[in-house]
């Protein structure tokens, strides 16, 4: 949103400034007209030529300002579209996170409730155990009291029987008293004994009364024990209820865990080693593009011999590509350290897609063609996506190629040893969709790769690794686009396609195929023997030349020409930086030299065509006539008269049309 606001704030002052300038120009014109009408004819038209030139310069300046405003408007529209796409993506992700958060909150709440119930259950169980222990002690005391009471009851019964016997004896003695008055002495002694027995009986009664009190106390304790027993029964009932509640909560936890597992399986947030194989099964598959060639060339061959074999292969197939075009395509692929993409542009049917395919076949490189669709808007369209219905990652052939040809096996999924093989990936009709949407991040990863000489350092490779969004994996899986995988693309010049941004142009060589003038049909029976052995990346690397290997004199000579180009582009409002300059030097250093000792003029002219002219698309020809004149002069200094004439012809045609420059390509002879 900030980007769109910035663009809007820039456009409004520009429009106001243009309106004020137009009003001021009209006022000046009216004043000038009035004064001119008052002058004689000789004086009136004295400086008309100078005034015309002045008006033309003012008009050119207004066109430049209008061009800048249009560029800012286009930039604002692009930023608004990108922000809208990002906001929709963020809303979608937030919705998914909200759904998952509610389930997680339910599970956490159930867990907390289960933990509380478990703690309460443990506390109740401890209390019940204490009550049961206390009840056991009371029961033991009760049994001891019962035993003591029974013993005392038996003693009381014995005392009562004895008292009954004593009472009978007293009656008998009273009856016999009269008869035994004479026997008073013995009877008095017996009387004393009877008094003593009565005393003992009284003591026994007191003891019986004490025992009765003790019995009442014991009965009270028994009642208390009964109350404790009732309380224990209540605790047991509560415990039974709590156990049932705990069982219900355990069922809820089990159900929620099953729901969580189901949600995790549907969203891919959890997985284990058991289903990792199923998740990655599609990514592990060997793509058909790697079937041929199956083995690498064992014999060493020179770069010139390899290019000669490519030319013979194309000739046998009846394909007529200029030798310079084949060399240019080959060199553009070689310098993927500096230029990560080679684009073949032109009208449909000019052989743009055929050249990469036949070149790969002849060179012994695996070839993968990817048809770009208009709906593509993210890197997932290139590498694949996680399928929530199938619970697995649906990989593309490009992702499988990156896995199998990675010499460092970054993903750990490589099947066999193909790290020294090479592959050419062609994005066919790449501008049917906006390249910035689906390929921008991928292009940045390619640029972030370390130089080929430093690629063995895993730390330096980390920034270039491309993470894959595979739900269910415990560890992040990523791919490394190694230098042995080359990237090219085709573009059709028509109204259904999108133009390339500066980011893509700065990282690409754009080979523009001119519309054909002679329509020769290739022979119907044209055939060629495809090589059975593949090109090894180790040997390919031996063909590379570092720009630093140039001599100082050669470097100064090239820097002089590149400096002139930089000045021309600066005046055209399309400046370039160090990245493009380094890529141009790398192209020149790696351009295959012929046996005649060809100089640097041809590869430098190629870079003007493939890198400079695409950046001049849409420049006003009338206001930038001097700059184009300087560019034509530079081409003639490089011994490129055919190129300079083609540029002049296009300028003449387009000045009478839209007035804006568009490079339409150049067909060179052998």
């Amino acid at each position: 949103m900030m980007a769109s606001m910035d663009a809007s704030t820039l456009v409004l002052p520009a429009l106001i400034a243009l309106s004020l300038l137009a009003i001021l120009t009209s006022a000046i014109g009216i004043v000038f007209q009035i004064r001119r009408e008052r002058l004689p004819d000789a004086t009136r038209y004295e400086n008309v030529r100078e005034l015309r030139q002045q008006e033309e310069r003012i008009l050119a300046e207004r066109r430049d300002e209008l061009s800048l405003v249009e560029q800012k408007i286009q930039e604002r529209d692009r930023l608004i579209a990108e922000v809208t796409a990002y906001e929709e993506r963020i809303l979608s992700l937030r919705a998914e996170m909200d759904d998952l958060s509610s389930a997680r909150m339910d599970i956490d709440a159930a867990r907390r409730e289960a933990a509380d119930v478990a703690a309460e259950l443990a506390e109740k169980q401890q209390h019940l155990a204490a009550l049961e222990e206390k009840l056991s002690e009371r029961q033991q005391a009760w049994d001891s009291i019962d035993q003591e009471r029974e013993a005392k009851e038996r003693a009381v019964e014995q005392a009562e029987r004895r008292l009954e016997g004593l009472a009978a004896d007293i009656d008998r003695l009273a009856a016999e008293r009269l008869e035994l008055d004479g026997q008073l002495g013995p009877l008095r002694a017996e009387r004393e004994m009877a008094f003593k027995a009565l005393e003992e009986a009284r003591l026994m009664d007191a003891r019986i009364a004490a025992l009765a009190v003790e019995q009442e106390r014991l009965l009270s304790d028994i009642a208390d024990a009964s109350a404790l027993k009732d309380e224990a029964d209540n605790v047991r009932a509560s415990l039974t209820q709590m156990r049932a509640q705990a069982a219900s909560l355990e069922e809820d936890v089990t159900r929620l865990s099953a729901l969580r597992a189901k949600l995790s399986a549907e969203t891919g947030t959890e997985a284990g080693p058991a289903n990792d194989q199923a998740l990655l099964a599609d990514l592990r598959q060997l793509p058909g593009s790697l079937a041929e060639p199956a083995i690498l060339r064992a014999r060493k061959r020179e770069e010139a011999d390899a290019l000669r074999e490519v030319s013979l292969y194309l000739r046998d197939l009846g394909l007529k590509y200029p030798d310079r075009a084949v060399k240019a395509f080959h060199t553009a692929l070689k310098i993927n350290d500096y230029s990560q993409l080679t684009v073949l542009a032109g009208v449909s049917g000019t052989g743009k897609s055929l050249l990469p395919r036949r070149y790969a076949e002849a060179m012994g490189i695996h070839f993968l063609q990817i048809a770009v669709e208009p709906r593509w808007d993210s890197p997932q369209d290139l590498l694949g996506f996680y399928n929530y219905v199938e619970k697995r990652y649906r990989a593309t052939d490009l992702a499988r190629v990156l896995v199998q040809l990675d010499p460092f096996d970054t993903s750990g999924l490589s099947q066999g040893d193909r790290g020294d093989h090479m592959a050419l990936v062609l994005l066919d009709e790449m501008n049917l969709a906006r390249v910035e949407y689906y390929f921008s991040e991928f292009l940045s990863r390619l640029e972030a790769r370390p130089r080929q000489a430093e690629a063995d350092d895993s730390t330096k490779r980390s920034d270039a690794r491309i993470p894959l969004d595979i739900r269910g994996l415990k560890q992040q899986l990523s791919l490394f686009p190694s230098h042995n995988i080359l990237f090219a693309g085709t573009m059709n010049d028509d109204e259904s396609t999108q133009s390339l941004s500066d980011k893509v142009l700065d990282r690409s060589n754009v080979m523009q195929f001119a519309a054909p003038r002679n329509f020769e049909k290739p022979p119907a029976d044209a055939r060629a023997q495809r090589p059975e052995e593949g090109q090894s990346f180790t040997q390919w690397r031996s063909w590379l030349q570092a720009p630093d290997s140039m001599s100082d004199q050669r470097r100064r000579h090239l820097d002089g020409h590149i400096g002139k180009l930089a000045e021309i582009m600066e005046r055209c409002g399309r400046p370039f930086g160090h990245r493009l300059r380094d890529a141009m030097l790398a192209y020149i250093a790696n351009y295959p030299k012929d046996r005649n000792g060809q100089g640097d003029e041809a590869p430098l002219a190629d870079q003007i065509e493939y890198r400079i002219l695409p950046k001049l698309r849409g420049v006003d020809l009338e206001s930038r006539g001097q700059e184009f004149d300087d560019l034509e002069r530079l081409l003639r200094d490089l011994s490129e008269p055919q190129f300079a004439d083609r540029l002049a012809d296009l300028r003449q045609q387009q000045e009478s049309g839209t007035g804006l420059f568009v490079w339409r390509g150049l067909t060179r002879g052998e």
Side-chain angles (χ1 to χ4, degrees):
M1 294 297 293
M2 290 297 297
S4 63
M5 292 176 63
D6 292 341
S8 300
T9 56
L10 290 173
V11 171
L12 183 58
L15 292 175
I16 295 173
L18 287 176
S19 301
L20 293 175
L21 288 173
I23 294 171
L24 181 59
T25 303
S26 300
I28 293 172
I30 293 171
V31 172
F32 177 79
Q33 182 66 25
I34 294 172
R35 293 185 61 186
R36 189 180 64 177
E37 290 176 356
R38 292 178 179 177
L39 293 175
D41 292 342
T43 306
R44 182 184 305 173
Y45 299 103
E46 180 179 1
N47 59 344
V48 67
R49 181 173 299 174
E50 295 177 357
L51 293 175
R52 181 178 180 275
Q53 293 177 352
Q54 182 180 0
E55 290 295 323
E56 288 177 349
R57 285 195 299 273
I58 293 173
L59 180 60
E61 292 174 356
R62 299 299 178 270
R63 286 179 177 173
D64 291 343
E65 292 174 353
L66 181 59
S67 177
L68 291 175
V69 171
E70 290 176 349
Q71 291 178 7
K72 292 177 181 178
I73 292 173
Q74 292 176 357
E75 181 68 15
R76 182 201 63 183
D77 295 339
R78 183 181 67 81
L79 292 174
I80 291 173
E82 290 181 355
V83 169
T84 303
Y86 286 140
E87 289 177 346
E88 293 176 355
R89 185 77 180 274
I90 290 171
L91 291 175
S92 176
L93 292 174
R94 285 179 177 172
E96 293 181 4
M97 290 299 298
D98 291 340
D99 295 339
L100 294 176
S101 298
S102 61
R104 291 194 184 98
M105 291 174 61
D106 293 340
I107 292 172
D108 293 338
R111 284 180 172 174
R112 289 195 297 271
E113 185 177 356
D116 294 339
V117 171
E120 184 179 358
L121 177 61
E123 183 179 357
K124 292 293 185 180
Q125 287 178 341
Q126 292 178 356
H127 182 61
L128 178 61
L131 290 176
E132 289 178 346
E133 183 177 0
K134 186 176 180 180
L135 180 61
S136 177
E137 293 176 356
R138 292 291 181 89
Q139 187 68 34
Q140 292 177 0
W142 189 11
D143 294 339
S144 177
I145 292 171
D146 286 340
Q147 292 176 1
E148 187 176 357
R149 181 177 59 79
E150 290 175 357
K152 290 179 179 180
E153 286 178 349
R154 287 194 299 270
V156 169
E157 289 176 356
Q158 291 177 1
E160 288 178 348
R161 286 194 300 270
R162 189 175 180 182
L163 286 173
E164 289 176 356
L166 290 173
D169 290 341
I170 291 172
D171 292 337
R172 182 176 57 78
L173 291 172
E176 292 177 352
R177 178 180 181 182
L178 295 174
E179 299 176 356
L180 299 173
D181 286 338
Q183 302 176 356
L184 182 59
L187 291 175
R188 285 179 179 175
E190 189 174 356
R191 178 185 174 187
E192 290 294 333
M193 292 177 62
F195 282 134
K196 290 180 180 179
L198 286 174
E199 187 66 24
E200 290 180 359
R202 290 189 188 99
L203 294 175
M204 186 63 66
D205 289 339
R207 182 65 176 170
I208 290 172
L211 290 174
V213 173
E214 182 69 16
Q215 183 179 8
E216 290 179 358
R217 185 181 66 80
L218 291 175
L219 290 175
S220 177
D221 291 342
I222 291 171
D224 293 340
S226 297
L228 290 174
K229 184 178 180 182
D230 293 339
E231 183 179 357
D233 292 339
N234 293 333
V235 170
R236 288 192 183 95
S238 177
L239 180 61
T240 303
Q241 183 179 1
M242 289 180 179
R243 286 175 176 169
Q245 187 177 2
S248 176
L249 289 175
E250 288 178 358
E251 292 178 358
D252 292 340
V253 170
T254 303
R255 179 178 57 80
L256 290 174
S257 298
L259 178 60
R260 178 186 179 186
K262 180 180 178 182
L263 291 174
S264 299
E266 292 177 353
T267 59
T269 56
E270 291 184 3
N275 62 356
D276 281 357
Q277 298 294 330
L279 280 173
L280 303 176
D282 202 41
L283 190 59
R284 290 177 181 271
Q285 291 184 12
L286 189 68
S289 58
L290 299 185
E292 294 182 3
I295 59 175
L296 296 178
R297 179 185 298 272
R299 303 183 310 277
K300 183 178 180 180
R301 63 174 174 176
E302 299 298 330
E303 183 178 17
D305 296 333
L307 288 174
R308 191 179 305 109
E309 292 175 8
V310 171
S311 298
L312 293 175
Y313 186 81
L314 296 175
R315 185 194 64 186
D316 292 343
L317 290 174
L319 301 175
K320 293 185 178 180
Y321 290 100
D323 182 64
R324 186 166 174 178
V326 175
K327 285 184 178 181
F329 181 70
H330 169 75
T331 308
L333 295 177
K334 277 175 62 179
I335 61 168
N336 64 351
D337 252 350
Y338 300 88
S339 179
Q340 292 76 35
L341 182 64
T342 302
V343 180
L344 298 91
V347 297
S348 179
T350 52
K352 303 184 302 296
S353 302
L354 204 56
L355 176 58
R357 177 182 292 276
R358 300 311 181 197
Y359 169 86
E361 292 175 355
M363 187 63 73
I365 297 177
H366 300 290
F367 181 75
L368 173 62
Q369 183 168 339
I370 301 174
V372 176
E373 299 180 10
R375 62 175 181 79
W376 283 14
D377 58 1
S378 73
Q380 289 183 341
D381 297 308
L382 280 176
L383 298 176
F385 61 94
Y386 177 79
N387 190 310
Y388 288 92
V389 177
E390 299 178 355
K391 310 291 190 302
R392 61 189 298 184
Y393 186 78
R394 302 299 297 177
T396 62
D397 278 347
L398 176 57
R400 300 186 187 109
V401 168
L402 292 175
V403 168
Q404 301 301 332
L405 265 61
D406 184 0
F408 310 104
D409 195 14
T410 305
S411 64
L413 305 176
S414 178
Q415 306 279 343
D417 185 12
R418 294 182 178 83
D420 204 26
H421 286 239
M422 297 185 65
L424 174 57
V425 178
L426 178 66
L427 303 175
D428 197 19
E429 298 191 38
M430 62 181 298
N431 61 334
L432 281 178
R434 284 201 172 274
V435 182
E436 295 79 10
Y437 290 169
Y438 70 89
F439 198 63
S440 179
E441 180 182 357
F442 200 97
L443 195 59
S444 298
R445 300 287 181 175
L446 293 177
E447 187 182 14
R449 293 179 303 189
R451 299 299 185 197
Q452 296 184 19
E454 302 174 344
D456 292 336
D457 190 340
S458 60
T459 304
K460 295 182 178 180
R461 295 197 308 268
S462 59
D463 291 339
R465 295 171 63 170
I466 305 172
L468 297 182
D469 182 17
I470 303 180
R471 304 295 177 88
L473 288 181
K474 294 183 178 179
Q475 295 182 348
Q476 178 68 55
L477 183 67
S478 59
L479 306 178
F480 175 68
S482 181
H483 295 83
N484 58 342
I485 302 178
L486 314 175
F487 288 89
T490 63
M491 286 177 45
N492 285 335
D493 292 337
D494 55 47
E495 66 280 356
S496 66
T497 57
Q498 309 287 341
S499 60
L500 298 181
S501 65
D502 287 341
K503 176 178 180 179
V504 179
L505 290 176
D506 282 347
R507 294 159 178 81
S508 307
N509 278 290
V510 182
M511 300 179 62
Q512 186 76 33
F513 282 52
R517 296 181 179 179
N518 299 321
F519 296 89
E520 297 181 5
K521 185 177 180 181
D525 57 348
R527 295 182 181 180
Q529 181 64 34
R530 182 174 180 177
E532 298 180 355
E533 296 177 325
Q535 173 64 51
S536 69
F537 183 58
T538 301
Q539 189 175 112
W540 175 278
R541 290 179 58 181
S542 67
W543 299 342
L544 300 179
Q545 299 293 328
D548 296 338
S549 63
M550 295 181 179
S551 64
D552 293 340
Q553 181 180 359
R554 181 184 179 192
R555 185 68 169 267
R556 286 194 298 269
H557 177 70
L558 292 173
D559 284 340
H561 290 307
I562 295 176
K564 293 178 182 178
L565 284 173
E567 181 184 355
I568 294 173
M569 296 297 287
E570 178 73 24
R571 285 187 281 141
C572 288
R574 306 292 172 86
F576 61 83
H578 293 285
R579 179 190 294 109
L580 193 145
R581 176 249 192 183
D582 293 342
M584 294 174 68
L585 291 175
Y587 181 94
I588 297 169
N590 284 275
Y591 191 82
K593 301 297 188 294
D594 57 21
R595 296 178 180 178
N596 298 325
Q598 181 184 20
D600 296 328
E601 290 78 10
L604 180 56
D606 285 349
Q607 287 299 278
I608 294 175
E609 180 182 358
Y610 302 153
R611 287 189 170 274
I612 300 300
L613 295 186
K615 294 177 70 67
L616 292 176
R617 183 185 183 95
V619 171
D620 182 69
L621 289 168
E622 185 176 357
S623 61
R624 298 302 179 194
Q626 183 61 49
E627 286 75 16
F628 279 93
D629 289 340
D630 295 341
L631 188 57
E632 290 180 19
R633 190 178 302 109
L634 177 59
L635 291 174
R636 297 187 189 279
D637 292 342
L638 296 175
S639 301
E640 291 285 337
Q642 185 181 5
F643 191 177
D645 292 342
R646 172 63 170 169
L647 181 60
D649 292 342
L650 285 175
R651 286 178 59 191
Q652 184 178 1
Q653 295 174 15
Q654 295 169 359
E655 281 177 351
S656 59
T658 61
L660 302 178
F661 177 74
V662 178
W663 176 243
R664 294 301 184 187
L666 168 64
T667 301
R668 292 187 175 91
E670 291 292 337

